[in-house]
Amino acid sequence: MTAEGSMLYMRKASIWLLLAAVGLTAAGCKSKGVSEPAPEDKPYELTIMMQDGGNEYAKTAKPDDKYFKELSRLYSAYRGKPYNIRFEILRHDDYFKQMTVRFAAGEFPDIMWTDGIGNTAHPNAAEDGVFLDLTDLIDRYGPNLKRGIADISWKDPKVSKNGRIYGIPKMAALPNMTVDFVRNDWLKKLGLSEPRTLQDYLNYFEAVKSNDLDENGQKDEIPYLIRGNFMFSTSFFGYFNAYPTLWQFRDGQFQPNLILPDMKQAIMFHKELFDKGYVNRNLFTLKTTDWDRLVRSGKVGMWQHQIPALMNTYDPDAMPDANMDIVPLAGPKDEKGNAYLVPEQTGVNAAYVIFSKAKQPEEIIRFFDWLYTDDTAKNRFFAYGIEGQNFKDVNGRIQFDPQAPVNKEKGASIFFQVMINPKGDNRLSPLLIQMSKNFEKIDTAMRIARTNTIHNESLYMPMPEAMRTNPDLGFQENSMFMDMFAKVVLGKEPIDSAFDSFVDDWKKRGGQKAIDEATQWYIKEYGAPRP
């Protein structure tokens, strides 16, 4: 989720941050300062400001929600003294706009969720001292936290800058969770093996298009379903060395794949898919809910999604047709048998920052440290919810039904497994995997996800300033790239002139400045490549 705004807006936000920092420095403490603990009989109040992520349960959760109370009870029991863990949940659709207002007024709790310490709503908060430098505090009070998160994640620019840690990572269930999914029952019906090469994929798409696989009297199946803005729909970019968010060192500069010649091949491949009827006609506008409905209706031959879908959405008990056999794929492989589906990732989804005004930051670090302990009660809570309500322990055997109304309605299980779990996404917890009917498929998908990645030299690169302040330069809705991409695929403009014009305009509108900044970072990080 990225905040958008003009340069004037950002200047004002920076001024607000600076003013807030001055006030906070006077009232708070630096990372080395530790204040006296609160009286033992008074609960320590720990409040986290976060966004609802579109989760229905989160949207309606009250301050005294049962899951907040249970989390407080469990942590209090672990520490042997009272704590009150609270969450202030704001709307996800304008979270960063609200955040900027909060910064201006200096009204925020001790802890805040953000998608990265350099977000445009608070671009200089770390440098200005608004966010606490956590490096020494974590070393002293978070041994489990430090060990539980890999170095590759601590180096992520979402949480660190200039070798100092300013954010605590909220981790993905795996560094890479994305795989392709295919209807295995359709492959068997067509007499085909699982697709391996790019040609295998095209052969499968042609067969799906040409046969009435759901036997409704119409050839209306969709071979490969693409969601609007290509969300979870990037299955083929990596094959052409053109994954849209990656950068490569070419011709003496570190440049984004968006403007490199390889991208033309990827675009033309998608045009081929469109022209042959292998993808949905509304590929640039299809909404998430409609995309999901089509998959579940049994009209789709292949699509891309995250592995946790096998835990819930694609669980046989959750599907309208239990005979749908959905299996994971690694993506199209090259001559050497390598698949390049998604980039290498650090696994950091977002960050929790602690404000400098926090009176007892060591207590906050201890709370996050608890998340990485082996505390059984805590692990059960973030997997199954509240004992006696979401699950039962019957003579040592856990009874947990993810499809039960108490877990399914309004996304309740996602709420306690992911939303209010500061550690991150717990949907692939071993406690849950072992109970799933899709256990073997999940295991296969996780193995695939470890090997289908693309080398990512820009892994630790902070987003160039020109791209932070001008979203048009990126790969998302209403961007310059997406506009050009759609025109070519839909046959409104020829590839060569459209692409060349896009690249020229992209550089003029700030892209060249982004390249210059990225090149400086690359040379500092890796050294100047040999000619």
Side-chain angles (χ1 to χ4, degrees):
M1 182 184 311
T2 8
E4 299 178 6
S6 65
M7 289 299 295
L8 177 60
Y9 177 88
M10 289 313 308
R11 291 194 192 100
K12 289 182 177 179
S14 297
I15 292 171
W16 289 336
L17 284 167
L18 184 59
L19 291 174
V22 173
L24 290 171
T25 302
C29 61
K30 295 295 182 182
S31 64
K32 295 181 180 179
V34 176
S35 58
E36 292 298 319
E40 291 294 317
D41 59 343
K42 183 179 181 182
Y44 177 81
E45 300 284 341
L46 189 155
T47 302
I48 302 174
M49 187 172 81
M50 57 179 280
Q51 50 93 17
D52 61 37
N55 178 268
E56 289 301 317
Y57 193 97
K59 290 179 180 178
T60 58
K62 299 291 189 293
D64 61 346
D65 183 86
K66 60 182 180 181
Y67 295 112
F68 301 162
K69 288 183 176 180
E70 180 67 1
L71 181 57
S72 299
R73 186 187 72 80
L74 292 173
Y75 186 56
S76 297
Y78 177 80
R79 290 296 308 278
K81 55 183 179 180
Y83 288 82
N84 187 13
I85 313 300
R86 301 189 300 182
F87 292 83
E88 181 184 359
I89 303 178
L90 308 181
R91 297 190 309 272
H92 73 285
D93 51 359
D94 64 350
Y95 179 73
F96 290 104
K97 291 181 180 178
Q98 295 185 66
M99 185 190 299
T100 304
V101 175
R102 292 293 191 94
F103 270 87
E107 297 176 353
F108 27 68
D110 289 344
I111 311 166
M112 180 184 76
W113 177 99
T114 181
D115 63 1
I117 59 174
N119 182 279
T120 51
H122 48 71
N124 304 308
E127 297 92 326
D128 291 344
V130 180
F131 295 161
L132 199 61
D133 182 338
L134 307 177
T135 313
D136 299 334
L137 281 168
I138 292 173
D139 285 341
R140 185 173 180 182
Y141 299 104
N144 296 294
L145 175 63
K146 192 66 177 289
R147 284 193 301 267
I149 298 176
D151 288 343
I152 188 176
S153 302
W154 285 116
K155 294 177 182 177
D156 192 302
K158 293 188 183 73
V159 300
S160 68
K161 188 168 187 176
N162 298 326
R164 305 298 292 179
I165 298 170
Y166 294 95
I168 299 173
K170 183 178 177 72
M171 301 298 295
L174 292 173
N176 168 34
M177 294 196 296
T178 302
V179 294
D180 283 340
F181 287 107
V182 68
R183 287 286 299 273
N184 192 44
D185 52 319
W186 283 8
L187 286 170
K188 292 178 179 178
K189 196 171 185 177
L190 293 166
L192 298 174
S193 301
E194 287 188 4
R196 175 183 173 86
T197 67
L198 190 65
Q199 189 58 53
D200 290 341
Y201 278 79
L202 293 174
N203 292 342
Y204 172 61
F205 293 164
E206 179 62 32
V208 172
K209 174 190 172 184
S210 304
N211 291 274
D212 178 17
L213 292 168
D214 63 1
E215 300 179 356
N216 70 342
Q218 303 177 55
K219 297 177 182 179
D220 55 355
E221 290 80 359
I222 303 172
Y224 177 54
L225 188 65
I226 294 179
R227 195 191 300 194
N229 303 312
F230 278 71
M231 183 181 294
F232 295 122
S233 305
T234 55
S235 301
F236 300 104
F237 286 94
Y239 184 88
F240 295 98
N241 192 31
Y243 198 86
T245 62
L246 294 185
W247 293 59
Q248 298 183 54
F249 199 88
R250 295 270 188 96
D251 301 323
Q253 300 181 100
F254 199 44
Q255 305 181 60
N257 282 351
L258 289 178
I259 67 168
L260 294 178
D262 309 72
M263 182 58 75
K264 294 172 69 172
Q265 288 182 280
I267 294 173
M268 289 308 294
F269 179 79
H270 286 88
K271 178 170 173 54
E272 178 186 356
L273 296 180
F274 181 83
D275 290 345
K276 290 185 175 180
Y278 295 164
V279 297
N280 45 305
R281 309 304 287 180
N282 60 345
L283 70 166
F284 290 101
T285 58
L286 182 64
K287 302 297 184 185
T288 299
T289 52
D290 295 326
W291 178 89
D292 181 66
R293 176 182 55 78
L294 284 167
V295 170
R296 291 170 54 77
S297 70
K299 290 291 183 184
V300 182
M302 181 186 136
W303 62 99
Q304 191 178 78
H305 206 12
Q306 292 184 324
I307 297 171
L310 288 168
M311 301 287 293
N312 40 66
T313 308
Y314 307 148
D315 184 283
D317 293 338
M319 296 297 291
D321 181 359
N323 294 317
M324 290 175 62
D325 184 13
I326 299 171
V327 298
L329 294 175
K333 298 181 178 182
D334 62 13
E335 301 80 15
K336 296 181 180 180
N338 298 318
Y340 302 100
L341 197 65
V342 292
E344 293 174 323
Q345 299 172 71
T346 65
V348 179
N349 272 345
Y352 292 97
V353 296
I354 300 175
F355 288 98
S356 297
K357 73 179 181 64
K359 295 181 179 178
Q360 290 180 263
E362 70 278 8
E363 286 289 359
I364 299 173
I365 298 299
R366 287 189 177 111
F367 168 72
F368 279 91
D369 189 71
W370 170 62
L371 302 172
Y372 286 85
T373 66
D374 293 328
D375 182 16
T376 299
K378 176 263 301 179
N379 292 338
R380 282 186 174 186
F381 172 72
F382 288 125
Y384 311 129
I386 303 173
E387 185 172 357
Q389 299 184 43
N390 303 94
F391 76 98
K392 295 180 180 179
D393 184 339
V394 181
N395 298 322
R397 291 182 62 86
I398 299 297
Q399 295 180 353
F400 174 72
D401 180 7
Q403 304 305 320
V406 68
N407 298 318
K408 186 177 180 181
E409 289 179 2
K410 294 186 176 182
S413 61
I414 300 299
F415 183 70
F416 59 75
Q417 290 170 357
V418 183
M419 297 302 299
I420 64 166
N421 179 2
K423 183 176 180 180
D425 187 341
N426 202 43
R427 289 175 295 169
L428 290 180
S429 164
L431 297 178
L432 293 167
I433 292 175
Q434 65 187 2
M435 304 182 71
S436 173
K437 292 183 178 180
N438 280 335
F439 173 84
E440 292 184 357
K441 294 179 180 180
I442 296 167
D443 185 62
T444 299
M446 292 172 68
R447 174 174 49 80
I448 287 173
R450 295 188 184 100
T451 60
N452 68 353
T453 56
I454 311 164
H455 180 55
N456 181 7
E457 289 189 310
S458 53
L459 186 65
Y460 298 122
M461 184 180 77
M463 183 178 291
E465 182 67 20
M467 298 190 75
R468 282 206 305 169
T469 56
N470 187 359
D472 284 353
L473 299 177
F475 173 73
Q476 65 270 328
E477 185 178 9
N478 299 322
S479 65
M480 297 168 60
F481 174 84
M482 197 62 73
D483 180 62
M484 175 274 299
F485 189 11
K487 289 177 180 176
V488 173
V489 169
L490 301 178
K492 296 180 179 180
E493 292 186 10
I495 180 64
D496 289 327
S497 59
F499 189 80
D500 292 347
S501 177
F502 153 71
V503 172
D504 184 61
D505 196 23
W506 185 90
K507 290 182 177 180
K508 290 178 180 177
R509 291 172 60 177
Q512 186 58 55
K513 291 182 179 179
I515 290 175
D516 294 342
E517 184 179 338
T519 302
Q520 290 180 9
W521 172 86
Y522 182 92
I523 293 174
K524 181 179 179 181
E525 184 78 6
Y526 299 106
R530 294 180 179 179

